Amino acid sequence: MPYLHCDVETRSAIPIADCGSHRYINDASFSLLLLSYAIDDGDVKLVDFTRGDDDTEFREMLHDPEYIKVAWNASFERGVFTRVYGDCAPPEQWRDAMVLAASCGLPLSLGQCSAALCLPQDAAKDKAGRDLIRRFCVPKKDGSFNDPSADPDRWAQFCEYNRQDVVAERTIFHMLEEWMPDETEHRIWCLDARINERGVRVDRTLAAHASEMDERFKAELTEKAIALTGLDNPSSVTQVKRWLREQEGLDVMSLNKKAVADVVAQLKTDEAKEFMAIRSMLAKTSASKYDAMLRCSTDDDPHVHGTMQFFGAHTGRWAGRLLQVQNLPQNHLPDLAEARELVRAGDYDTLTCLYDNVPGVLSELIRTGIVPEPGCKLVVADFSAIEARVTAWLAGEEWRMEVFRNGGDIYCASASQMFHVPVVKHGENGDLRQKGKIAELALGYGGGVGALKAFGGDKPWKGMNGTMHPGMTEEEMGEIVGRWRESSPKVVALWKKLERAASLCASRHTAADTGIHGIRYEWERGIMWLRLPSGRRMAYFNAEYRDFPRRVGTGKCLTYMVLNQTTRKWERVETFGGRLVENAVQAIARDCLREAMLNLSDDGWDIRFTVHDEIVCSEPEHSGRGWERMAELMGKPIDWAPGLLLRADGYECEFYQKD
């Protein structure tokens, strides 16, 4: 079947980065400016809509199922063609070059991917495009757009830029084509496209009132802080540091989130304590999520579309976009529904009478801004302790498997193994469960004392009976690390097995089998592949076993190229056995979620989004189906994972909340 490669240039008054492509495309100001396309390796043809070029040939091929359509970030092109032509070829007829690149361990950006592959200038993405896009696609301050006919030379450059994008995308696609995701992966990509097109319904009334209340409360707090301190700007770090020096005699190095708790512990005066409490409330960013709900939806279409980024993480897991459903605050308010109704009604006075910390309440209500379709309920189910279950299955750690087989609590069981006493949640030695929990979260992937600290092991914690316990000392944490590793020797051995196999593959450019559920490392043209039990492969681009300057005093280590999520730069990073196990476990958990999503879709469930290992569906209230059916489908044994003990739990709600 021939490939139809295509790329478009468009304009709209809606800022796409802030509001998403769906709002951008469906705004009245939207128009399609340029379209470039090519059949296989043929010449790239340009359609200039500003001068009325004929697009009949392309339109016919677009609707012809004999052509496989290819684009970079194909969801955008599909949205554009649906808007312009009224309909579009279904996702089954499309391939996304961006997803192909991501599955090979490369960046999601066409420009960064071109650079990572060292494409020659005539095949790479044109770097001058940003200025051209700003000139022809972004509105001026008065809301109008620049007329292409008034600047023919630069418009000609823009046309060439559009043509060059097709060349770059096609070049990358051909370079990586042999590693095209298999049919099951294509099915889940098609399902993802439909989920994103349906969107997540939000309560715009709640969001609007919450945003207004947050702004009003913070204005009042700011006035109070100014009156208390005399500062011009209580949010200024420099001014606050100076005030603390003068008021408390404290020289504060930092006021970031981690440092503030230590600063507060040293305060002496009531004024300083009150001010820092106010400052903490001012720092809450709860309103940003409500603003995102309002920006990315409209009264006519109260949905946020495109919240899930397929293959957004190296392991293949989804990443959050726009509303960022992956990191919504939890809610623990005992009167959640009542607080929600006060905000929906815009009853600010009652809310402030009942709650001192309004930003905290609004933060806990963010989840409840996600609602089902009219006449429906939200049905939610998620895998129980999926990463711990997969780790136990891979390692063959029988006592752990037995805990899951019997429906036990892994945190209690872990504490019991470490301390050699019975540990029962809310019962005998129940306070040790917290240490078991911290150890499980921090140490399963090769972590040590530093990992325990990252999970709060050195911080005070509240026991089952409400008693406060001091954080662990450095010595205690070192002992916990030793106890955990002694109790889980097969997990420790798993780290070593994967590191040994991966290092062999990268250094000798040969396949290396781990002997664990079909997991093996394979080498193909500069990419080290981790073959997973599902048959899917995870890429380590340009992997090398070499001396690495950032790993002091250990000689050679395993490294690979990846896009740093913090610096946004394509760079070489090191890895080790624990992290390789983490990658494998999370990739397998992702494939379990894939199977669950496909099972649910085949059973007619209306999936709206996923959060890590959780699936959220909108289901008719009187359908007779509840979370138990979802959990049953999610917990079905998987052919490629014999013996993996999956279990899902769930709940139903009139608005999204923490169970």
Side-chain angles (χ1 to χ4, degrees):
M1 295 175 72
Y3 288 122
L4 174 61
H5 299 271
C6 58
D7 185 74
V8 297
E9 302 300 340
T10 61
R11 71 184 183 193
S12 172
I14 300 296
I16 191 169
D18 294 333
C19 303
S21 60
H22 188 273
R23 271 217 63 200
Y24 173 94
I25 291 168
N26 289 282
D27 190 73
S29 64
F30 172 85
S31 61
L32 174 57
L33 302 175
L34 297 172
L35 161 67
S36 286
Y37 66 95
I39 303 167
D40 291 329
D41 294 325
D43 293 337
V44 178
K45 299 180 180 180
L46 176 78
V47 178
D48 185 342
F49 288 90
T50 69
R51 67 186 185 199
D53 287 358
D54 183 20
D55 62 346
T56 302
E57 180 187 54
F58 175 80
R59 197 164 62 248
E60 289 176 352
M61 288 188 291
L62 176 67
H63 293 100
D64 186 341
E66 293 301 311
Y67 288 89
I68 297 176
K69 296 82 184 173
V70 184
W72 191 274
N73 189 18
S75 63
F76 182 74
E77 269 72 14
R78 292 190 66 249
V80 168
F81 298 142
T82 299
R83 167 71 193 273
V84 173
Y85 299 128
D87 62 358
C88 181
E92 285 75 12
Q93 295 178 24
W94 284 79
R95 299 294 185 273
D96 194 330
M98 180 181 75
V99 169
L100 174 58
S103 68
C104 294
L106 288 158
L108 294 171
S109 156
L110 181 55
Q112 287 182 313
C113 186
S114 298
L117 290 170
C118 302
L119 295 189
Q121 189 60 41
D122 62 345
K125 181 176 174 65
D126 187 349
K127 294 181 180 178
R130 186 176 298 174
D131 290 338
L132 295 168
I133 288 173
R134 192 178 295 114
R135 179 162 187 81
F136 295 113
C137 304
V138 178
K140 296 184 287 186
K141 289 183 178 179
D142 64 2
S144 65
F145 292 91
N146 285 312
D147 182 0
S149 63
D151 195 349
D153 291 341
R154 298 197 72 184
W155 182 251
Q157 291 177 23
F158 195 41
C159 291
E160 178 58 24
Y161 166 80
N162 180 229
R163 189 196 72 82
Q164 187 64 22
D165 269 5
V166 173
V167 174
E169 170 267 303
R170 180 172 63 182
T171 302
I172 293 171
F173 186 80
H174 285 332
M175 288 177 71
L176 308 177
E177 190 176 354
E178 65 181 282
W179 298 313
M180 190 84 74
D182 64 18
E183 184 56 35
T184 305
E185 275 298 289
H186 187 55
R187 279 186 65 206
I188 195 66
W189 178 79
C190 293
L191 176 58
D192 168 85
R194 292 190 166 94
I195 292 170
N196 275 318
E197 285 164 10
R198 285 197 291 268
V200 176
R201 190 178 184 91
V202 294
D203 187 333
R204 286 178 56 82
T205 300
L206 175 75
H209 286 152
S211 186
E212 291 166 4
M213 287 181 175
D214 185 78
E215 188 174 336
R216 181 175 170 183
F217 188 77
K218 286 185 175 177
E220 292 174 0
L221 276 184
T222 301
E223 286 184 19
K224 190 173 181 180
I226 291 171
L228 191 65
T229 63
L231 296 176
D232 296 328
N233 180 8
S235 298
S236 167
V237 172
T238 303
Q239 290 187 31
V240 172
K241 285 182 178 179
R242 186 173 64 245
W243 185 81
L244 288 172
R245 190 183 308 116
E246 295 169 353
Q247 175 80 9
E248 298 286 300
L250 278 180
D251 279 318
V252 177
M253 297 297 294
S254 173
L255 285 172
N256 63 27
K257 195 171 183 180
K258 289 184 178 179
V260 163
D262 292 332
V263 172
V264 170
Q266 300 177 62
L267 298 178
K268 303 183 187 82
T269 66
D270 291 340
E271 290 85 358
K273 292 174 183 176
E274 184 180 359
F275 170 63
M276 291 304 287
I278 290 172
R279 192 175 180 278
S280 175
M281 284 191 278
L282 285 171
K284 276 239 178 245
T285 57
S286 54
S288 63
K289 296 282 189 184
Y290 293 115
D291 292 343
M293 291 180 188
L294 296 171
R295 275 198 317 273
C296 302
S297 66
T298 64
D299 289 335
D300 293 333
D301 180 13
H303 296 82
V304 180
H305 302 266
T307 60
M308 295 163 52
Q309 174 63 64
F310 189 81
F311 227 107
H314 180 218
T315 57
R317 280 181 159 176
W318 281 262
R321 295 291 184 265
L322 302 174
L323 188 52
Q324 292 293 350
V325 293
Q326 307 281 10
N327 64 354
L328 297 175
Q330 294 186 355
N331 39 38
H332 302 284
L333 281 174
D335 50 355
L336 188 71
E338 291 82 355
R340 185 179 189 276
E341 281 309 306
L342 287 175
V343 175
R344 275 200 101 247
D347 191 347
Y348 180 78
D349 292 335
T350 303
L351 191 75
T352 52
C353 282
L354 295 177
Y355 303 98
D356 294 330
N357 187 354
V358 170
V361 172
L362 296 179
S363 179
E364 293 204 36
L365 291 177
I366 289 171
R367 284 174 180 254
T368 74
I370 295 174
V371 293
E373 298 303 302
C376 295
K377 60 187 176 183
L378 288 180
V379 186
V380 184
D382 73 329
F383 285 120
S384 171
I386 182 67
E387 290 191 28
R389 289 168 183 266
V390 172
T391 301
W393 176 67
L394 288 179
E397 197 74 78
E398 186 53 37
W399 73 263
R400 290 175 170 274
M401 297 286 284
E402 194 63 22
V403 170
F404 295 126
R405 198 174 286 121
N406 296 329
D409 183 311
I410 189 61
Y411 301 144
C412 288
S414 183
S416 182
Q417 285 289 122
M418 288 192 292
F419 297 103
H420 308 294
V421 295
V423 178
V424 180
K425 187 176 181 180
H426 302 300
E428 188 178 6
N429 299 309
D431 282 353
L432 288 176
R433 182 181 184 273
Q434 178 69 10
K435 292 187 177 181
K437 180 177 182 178
I438 292 172
E440 283 296 303
L441 295 174
L443 306 181
Y445 299 133
V449 171
L452 285 173
K453 288 181 179 178
F455 278 90
D458 58 343
K459 300 291 189 294
W461 52 280
K462 186 181 289 188
M464 296 293 182
N465 60 1
T467 304
M468 288 302 298
H469 296 264
M472 290 182 280
T473 65
E474 196 94 8
E475 184 179 353
E476 285 178 306
M477 287 188 284
E479 186 179 332
I480 287 287
V481 172
R483 285 177 180 269
W484 191 93
R485 293 184 179 183
E486 285 173 12
S487 71
S488 300
K490 291 186 177 180
V491 175
V492 175
L494 180 65
W495 306 337
K496 296 175 181 177
K497 285 180 183 178
L498 263 61
E499 182 164 6
R500 193 160 48 241
S503 298
L504 176 65
C505 180
S507 59
R508 298 187 183 177
H509 296 180
T510 186
D513 205 328
T514 66
I516 303 166
H517 294 293
I519 292 177
R520 57 190 270 120
Y521 291 92
E522 300 167 347
W523 185 268
E524 291 176 13
R525 292 202 290 118
I527 301 179
M528 183 178 75
W529 295 93
L530 167 63
R531 183 172 290 279
L532 298 160
S534 65
R536 181 172 73 87
R537 297 198 300 178
M538 178 182 157
Y540 293 86
F541 193 84
N542 196 11
E544 293 181 356
Y545 187 67
R546 54 175 276 186
D547 289 317
F548 195 62
R550 280 182 257 181
R551 189 158 181 171
V552 180
T554 57
K556 291 186 175 181
C557 64
L558 185 64
T559 70
Y560 64 101
M561 297 296 292
V562 71
L563 186 71
N564 186 310
Q565 294 301 309
T566 302
T567 65
R568 307 307 300 171
K569 291 181 179 178
W570 179 248
E571 59 189 31
R572 184 166 294 279
V573 299
E574 64 172 304
T575 191
F576 57 93
R579 192 164 292 153
L580 290 169
V581 170
E582 181 179 23
N583 290 166
V585 167
Q586 291 184 353
I588 292 168
R590 179 269 190 195
D591 289 348
C592 292
L593 187 70
R594 176 188 74 178
E595 300 297 328
M597 291 171 69
L598 292 172
N599 287 340
L600 288 167
S601 179
D602 290 343
D603 198 49
W605 287 85
D606 180 7
I607 302 173
R608 290 303 168 125
F609 62 98
T610 69
V611 182
H612 304 302
D613 305 304
E614 177 180 84
I615 301 174
V616 181
C617 296
S618 182
E619 175 75 1
E621 287 179 356
H622 306 297
S623 67
R625 298 195 305 184
W627 71 264
E628 294 87 355
R629 175 59 179 166
M630 274 187 72
E632 177 189 342
L633 290 169
M634 290 177 69
K636 282 178 61 175
I638 299 174
D639 292 341
W640 49 259
L644 175 57
L645 302 169
L646 291 176
R647 195 189 87 191
D649 299 311
Y651 60 99
E652 297 161 27
C653 46
E654 59 179 311
F655 44 76
Y656 188 46
Q657 56 188 286
K658 182 183 181 297
D659 182 22

